[in-house]
């Protein structure tokens, strides 16, 4: 949590509780992190946060092979079945820089986690693939965790962390990414996947 590399467990806990209070039959939290899922969910505090709030935590898989309509590069992908079957998808990214050509990891890039072969993104056109999976999944709501943001050595840190105590939410994840980029000192027009998605 201190490194600002993952969504804050208190943000996840509050959101799970709010969904249940609003009448959700169940709230499933899933992730497909770069490091082993079981260890990451425990060390991040997410596992305890989800359990304590009454949610269900599920690891990555199984996946379903799908076609991505209108895509130019990511025409097919193996996407998490849990996400495909959900009545409502809420994306809850942390705001952080990324050392790759993506420059930032916010809501659009966070959706790479629903795809099994993320290496394909890097082998082809990372920015276009990010925009294309985001256009396919289209979360109903995005909750941007800027309680603390990672300003350097992202995506995993450790790096410079700034505590902002900010959470922003909305249905326009492109606008939220543009806002999040400004928090990191990055111009949204300099982030190619934000431009493509826009």
């Amino acid at each position: 949590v201190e490194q600002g590399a993952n969504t804050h467990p208190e943000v996840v806990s509050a959101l799970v509780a709010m969904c249940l209070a609003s009448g959700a039959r169940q709230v499933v939290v899933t992730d497909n992190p770069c490091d082993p899922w079981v260890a990451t969910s425990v060390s991040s505090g997410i596992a305890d946060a989800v359990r304590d709030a009454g949610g269900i935590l599920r690891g990555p898989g199984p996946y379903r092979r799908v076609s991505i309509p209108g895509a130019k590069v990511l025409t097919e992908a193996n996407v998490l079945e849990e996400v495909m079957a959900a009545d409502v998808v809420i994306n809850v990214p942390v705001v952080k820089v990324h050392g790759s050509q993506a420059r930032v990891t916010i809501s659009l890039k966070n959706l790479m986690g629903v795809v099994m072969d993320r290496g394909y993104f890097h082998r082809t056109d990372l920015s276009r693939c990010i925009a294309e999976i985001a256009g396919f999944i289209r979360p109903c709501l995005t909750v941007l965790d800027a309680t603390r943001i990672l300003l350097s050595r992202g995506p995993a840190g450790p790096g410079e962390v700034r505590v902002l105590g900010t959470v922003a939410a909305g249905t326009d994840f492109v606008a939220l990414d543009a806002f999040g980029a400004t928090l990191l000192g990055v111009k949204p027009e300099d982030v190619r996947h934000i431009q493509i998605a826009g």
Side-chain angles (χ1 to χ4, degrees), residues 93-95 144-149 162-168 179 183:
V94 68
V95 176
L144 202 77
D145 174 12
T147 55
R148 74 279 180 267
I149 61 174
R162 180 178 300 148
V163 176
L164 298 181
T166 299
V167 175
F179 169 66
L183 297 177

Side-chain angles (χ1 to χ4, degrees), residues 34-124:
C34 295
D35 294 325
W37 173 78
V38 173
T40 301
S41 65
V42 171
S43 66
S44 68
I46 300 289
D48 287 343
V50 171
R51 183 195 66 236
D52 293 349
I56 300 164
L57 185 67
R58 293 207 179 117
Y63 294 86
R64 184 192 329 162
R65 188 78 177 167
V66 295
S67 295
I68 312 294
K72 295 179 181 177
V73 178
L74 188 69
T75 56
E76 292 185 317
N78 291 316
V79 176
L80 278 171
E81 181 67 40
E82 194 78 57
V83 173
M84 298 294 297
D87 295 324
V88 174
V89 174
I90 302 174
N91 188 10
V92 192
V94 68
V95 176
K96 59 185 175 179
V97 296
H98 198 287
S100 76
Q101 62 179 329
R103 301 203 57 198
V104 299
T105 294
I106 314 175
S107 64
L108 295 164
K109 190 169 183 309
N110 197 49
L111 290 171
M112 281 180 70
V114 305
V115 176
M116 185 169 69
D117 182 13
R118 293 171 295 198
Y120 178 79
F121 287 54
H122 293 282
R123 292 190 303 272
T124 56

